[in-house]
Amino acid sequence: MPLPTDAEPVVASMQAKGWIVRLGSVFSSSGGTPAAIRVTVAAFDDERSATFAKDLVDTLASLEA
C-alpha cells in the first residue's frame, strides 16, 4: 500500500495499535525504499477492514500534525 509519507513511523504506529504491517521496502525488488507498507488483508471482514482504515487514517493524520 503506497503512502504519502515515510513508512517507518507508520509501521511503528500501526504496530502499537495491534496491527501487523511490514515496511514495503522489504518486498521491493529494486532495492529501493518505497514509501509503502505491506498488509495482508485476506482474513479481513468488513468490520476489520473499516477499523484498519480508520487506524491508518488516524496514524497518517497524527504524523502530518
Side-chain angles (χ1 to χ4, degrees):
M1 172 180 295
L3 299 171
T5 188
D6 181 39
E8 287 187 30
V10 175
V11 168
S13 179
M14 292 298 285
Q15 287 178 343
K17 293 177 183 190
W19 296 104
I20 299 171
V21 296
R22 302 275 312 266
L23 291 171
S25 59
V26 174
F27 301 93
S28 174
S29 61
S30 67
T33 56
I37 57 174
R38 171 82 178 239
V39 183
T40 302
V41 297
F44 281 20
D45 58 16
D46 290 344
E47 181 179 345
R48 191 163 178 89
S49 295
T51 302
F52 177 84
K54 180 187 179 316
D55 285 349
L56 182 58
V57 166
D58 291 347
T59 291
L60 293 172
S62 72
L63 293 172
E64 289 178 0

